[in-house]
């Protein structure tokens, strides 16, 4: 008897055979994937960050991937999983939100945006189970009805969960999830951090993830490569510029590594 509520176990008991998530149709063509993404609530809103490495098996395919994608002025989706599928989902969401805004002359509600993300993931279940397109994103945005920025994370079947204080996803997430729990419980609560303090912590967390997870890219100062970090407040989405990240990394992160 499988664990109650375990959808994967139920499929196995019914004879379903899962594909190899690292290959396409068993032909040995490895999918590009792997990452570490995180979101945390700070004093003024939500910070969303992601490393920039894309891998296929043990091979590093690209070190300049943007994994924190802006959907509209007030929402972003951080992607963990197969970039091709994730990028297509973001394009569909971007178009859907824009279409609603132009036809209804108002923004789609935050609740509506959450349902749209969940619907896309559910429609992708067949591809995910076949091993060709699993995505486990983090969605963050500003909820004007509630007057607050919020964080939600999803499983590949489309189930959504609110990250009240923080959320993490990707191959390096187990490392920094433990650190976030420690920080939020026994050090300063994340919600009390100002913008600079939250940015420093995001840089430190992704540097720690890269230290223990080969599929997560760290900072490359020689190539001027830093993580992608974006802030969401009542004023909308705002990226942190590389020059600011470089200054904070040099003074607040590198000397501790």
């Amino acid at each position: 008897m499988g664990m109650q509520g375990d959808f994967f176990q139920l499929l196995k008991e019914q004879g379903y055979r899962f594909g190899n998530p690292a290959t396409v149709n068993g032909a040995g063509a490895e999918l590009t994937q792997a990452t570490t993404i995180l979101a945390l609530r700070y004093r003024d809103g939500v910070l969303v960050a992601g490393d920039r490495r894309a891998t296929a098996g043990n091979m590093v395919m690209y070190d300049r991937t943007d994994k924190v994608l802006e959907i509209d002025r007030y929402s972003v989706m951080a992607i963990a999983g197969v970039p091709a599928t994730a990028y297509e989902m973001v394009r569909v969401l971007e178009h859907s939100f824009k279409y609603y805004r132009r036809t209804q002359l108002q923004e789609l509600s935050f609740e509506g945006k959450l349902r749209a993300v969940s619907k896309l993931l559910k429609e992708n279940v067949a591809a995910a189970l076949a091993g060709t397109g699993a995505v486990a994103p983090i969605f963050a945005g500003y909820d004007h009805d509630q007057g607050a920025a919020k964080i939600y994370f999803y499983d590949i079947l489309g189930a959504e969960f609110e990250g009240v204080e923080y959320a993490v996803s990707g191959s390096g997430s187990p490392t920094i999830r433990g650190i976030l729990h420690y920080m939020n419980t026994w050090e300063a609560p994340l919600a009390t951090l100002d913008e600079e303090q939250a940015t420093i912590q995001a840089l430190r967390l992704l540097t720690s993830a890269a230290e223990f997870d080969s599929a997560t890219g760290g900072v490359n100062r020689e190539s001027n490569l830093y993580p992608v970090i974006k802030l969401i407040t009542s004023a909308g989405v705002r990226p942190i510029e590389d020059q600011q990240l470089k200054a904070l990394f040099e003074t607040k992160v590198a000397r501790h590594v």
Side-chain angles (χ1 to χ4, degrees):
M1 179 71 70
M3 181 183 298
Q4 186 175 8
D6 188 331
F7 184 56
F8 289 107
Q9 184 61 36
L10 176 63
L11 289 175
K12 289 179 180 176
E13 291 174 359
Q14 296 300 315
Y16 191 94
R17 295 292 177 265
F18 296 99
N20 184 348
T23 62
V24 178
N25 296 328
E30 292 177 324
L31 296 172
T32 304
Q33 53 185 343
T35 191
T36 300
I37 54 175
L38 67 95
L40 59 88
R41 294 189 67 175
Y42 72 106
R43 190 179 61 190
D44 302 321
V46 164
L47 176 151
V48 186
D51 80 293
R52 305 190 66 177
R53 173 169 291 179
T55 61
N58 294 325
M59 182 180 296
V60 177
M61 300 295 291
Y62 194 53
D63 257 340
R64 298 174 185 270
T65 308
D66 183 356
K67 302 174 183 174
V68 184
L69 305 171
E70 190 172 336
I71 299 176
D72 63 11
R73 184 180 173 187
Y74 294 101
S75 59
V76 304
M77 192 166 91
I79 58 172
V82 177
T85 305
Y87 288 150
E88 182 61 22
M89 287 183 178
V90 170
R91 281 192 286 269
V92 170
L93 291 170
E94 183 180 6
H95 177 78
S96 299
F97 293 3
K98 185 182 296 183
Y99 180 80
Y100 185 92
R101 184 168 60 251
R102 291 184 175 178
T103 56
Q104 303 300 313
L105 302 180
Q106 62 181 334
E107 294 285 342
L108 179 63
S109 68
F110 189 75
E111 188 72 17
K113 294 177 181 179
L114 293 176
R115 296 288 88 78
V117 177
S118 181
K119 181 174 181 292
L120 271 182
L121 288 166
K122 288 176 182 175
E123 290 175 349
N124 191 56
V125 167
L129 294 179
T132 59
V135 179
I138 294 175
F139 179 85
Y142 193 84
D143 185 343
H144 289 279
D145 293 333
Q146 299 292 324
K150 295 184 176 180
I151 305 166
Y152 282 81
F153 59 101
Y154 295 80
D155 66 15
I156 64 172
L157 302 179
E160 70 182 32
F161 309 91
E162 182 173 7
V164 178
E165 293 154 330
Y166 58 83
V168 296
S169 187
S171 56
S173 62
T175 297
I176 60 175
R177 185 180 183 186
I179 299 174
L180 278 164
H181 175 75
Y182 181 92
M183 289 169 52
N184 194 55
T185 305
W186 289 289
E187 297 187 346
L190 297 171
T192 65
L193 302 179
D194 62 24
E195 177 181 317
E196 181 175 295
Q197 291 171 326
T199 303
I200 292 169
Q201 295 300 350
L203 286 170
R204 290 177 175 174
L205 288 163
L206 290 175
T207 300
S208 297
E211 183 72 18
F212 297 102
D213 175 39
S214 62
T216 298
V219 169
N220 186 333
R221 286 184 281 179
E222 290 75 18
S223 300
N224 203 34
L225 282 175
Y226 295 88
V228 175
I229 299 180
K230 294 180 180 176
L231 306 174
I232 305 169
T233 66
S234 59
V237 179
R238 177 168 60 86
I240 301 293
E241 300 296 333
D242 283 350
Q243 287 303 315
Q244 185 177 351
L245 294 178
K246 179 179 181 180
L248 290 175
F249 187 86
E250 297 289 349
T251 58
K252 302 293 184 180
V253 181
R255 64 191 180 91
H256 298 290
V257 175

